[in-house]
Amino acid sequence: MRALSDNMRGALLMMGSMAAFVFNDACMKVVLKDLPLFQAILLRGLATVFFMVLVSRWLGGLDFRLPRRDWFLVALRTLADVGATYFFITALREMPIANITAILQVLPLTVTLTGALLFGESLGWRRLVAIMIGFVGVMIIVRPGVDGFNSYAFYALIAVAFVTVRDLCARRLSAGVSSVTIALIGAIGVVTFAAIGAVGGEWVPVSGKSAALLAGATFFIIGGYLFSVMTMRLGEISFIAPFRYTSLLWALLLGFVVFGDWPDGVTMLGIAIVVAMGAFTFYRERQIARR
């Protein structure tokens, strides 16, 4: 059998990363039925930081000697990571997992648009139209103003805004900055925020079931981080990036099997529009890069 190309290995790692993140979300959604929000985030965060330190020492690359400019970007990225975690997990607790995962798929469009507006990155009319249509798809999923609208969908949109800032900060960092270091600093920031929130909040005993779910969430989120870092080191990102949409397949499957949720036809239409426009954006970026 012929060895897999870097592009194919990168695609497999991207699919593994997306699966790991969705399984982490599913574990957290279940555990939030029994544990307060800040307690759950703090316990998962402490375990995540502990194992990330071990993994980073094993893999190497942990280096806190950063230029002053990069420290500012790291601090801003960490604040954005904190905001994204709070709003995403709050929305996840109240929304079907497939719906919130679908809303997050607009990220490639928001990053492309914001990069063009703030940093003058190239943005042709085709990608601009795709971004606008993609936002229409998100509005179809969210459907503000209709009966049964879940206001927590706005929390998901706020999470998208924070993740956009986080990703743009990562893109502006110097090439030599360690990905492991940045991920660890972000995790420490989330733990600090959760600890502050948990000080005056409610604490409940952790059952064996909740402990197992938190352990599973920790395992999956670390796996997701590691796979995503490995993905960025292999192949062409324009080829690999569209495989991030496999997260929707896992979200649909887990939403149905674990939570008994399945998006209605209108929501599925919105999901299809967002995915199609995101895939088109990646395609156009690949064409431009080749030129």
Side-chain angles (χ1 to χ4, degrees):
M1 177 182 288
R2 295 173 58 187
L4 292 175
S5 67
D6 283 348
N7 276 349
M8 288 308 301
R9 286 199 295 270
L12 290 174
L13 286 169
M14 175 64 84
M15 288 189 283
S17 174
M18 293 300 101
F21 283 130
V22 175
F23 273 87
N24 158 72
D25 294 342
C27 289
M28 289 299 290
K29 185 172 178 63
V30 175
V31 84
L32 285 170
K33 296 178 180 178
D34 300 319
L35 296 182
L37 179 73
F38 286 113
Q39 182 181 356
I41 295 175
L42 177 60
L43 293 176
R44 185 194 67 173
L46 288 171
T48 300
V49 168
F50 174 76
F51 284 107
M52 283 184 71
V53 170
L54 294 181
V55 169
S56 63
R57 290 178 64 86
W58 172 53
L59 293 177
L62 194 62
D63 185 1
F64 293 96
R65 295 170 298 177
L66 307 178
R68 181 178 300 177
R69 170 189 174 275
D70 286 325
W71 269 118
F72 170 76
L73 290 171
V74 169
L76 182 58
R77 182 195 179 280
T78 301
L79 289 174
D81 209 358
V82 168
T85 300
Y86 171 75
F87 284 102
F88 175 78
I89 294 184
T90 303
L92 176 68
R93 182 179 60 184
E94 306 293 339
M95 290 178 63
I97 191 170
N99 290 36
I100 189 169
T101 303
I103 292 172
L104 286 182
Q105 303 315 305
V106 78
L107 276 170
L109 305 180
T110 59
V111 170
T112 299
L113 179 60
T114 309
L117 294 176
L118 295 183
F119 305 118
E121 297 178 3
S122 175
L123 178 62
W125 69 268
R126 293 179 182 85
R127 283 191 293 167
L128 181 59
V129 171
I131 289 169
M132 296 300 105
I133 297 174
F135 288 154
V136 171
V138 172
M139 289 299 101
I140 291 174
I141 297 170
V142 173
R143 275 176 282 174
V146 302
D147 292 338
F149 165 67
N150 189 335
S151 61
Y152 285 98
F154 280 120
Y155 278 59
L157 294 175
I158 296 172
V160 166
F162 275 115
V163 176
T164 300
V165 173
R166 186 191 70 184
D167 288 356
L168 285 171
C169 288
R171 286 172 59 167
R172 309 300 292 185
L173 287 168
S174 302
V177 175
S178 166
S179 300
V180 176
T181 302
I182 302 310
L184 179 59
I185 292 173
I188 292 172
V190 171
V191 166
T192 304
F193 168 74
I196 294 172
V199 167
E202 179 188 6
W203 278 75
V204 301
V206 180
S207 65
K209 173 187 172 184
S210 295
L213 287 167
L214 287 170
T218 302
F219 171 79
F220 285 122
I221 199 168
I222 291 174
Y225 279 134
L226 288 176
F227 285 154
S228 62
V229 170
M230 294 165 67
T231 296
M232 295 300 105
R233 300 177 184 270
L234 286 173
E236 305 169 46
I237 189 62
S238 57
F239 175 86
I240 296 168
F243 288 92
R244 75 189 311 276
Y245 293 117
T246 56
S247 62
L248 272 172
L249 301 178
W250 288 109
L252 288 167
L253 177 63
L254 290 176
F256 180 73
V257 173
V258 179
F259 305 105
D261 296 325
W262 187 260
D264 58 26
V266 176
T267 301
M268 290 296 288
L269 173 62
I271 292 173
I273 291 173
V274 171
V275 171
M277 294 304 101
F280 175 78
T281 300
F282 285 129
Y283 169 74
R284 287 295 302 167
E285 289 178 353
R286 190 177 185 188
Q287 280 192 323
I288 292 169
R290 283 179 173 176
R291 290 173 187 170

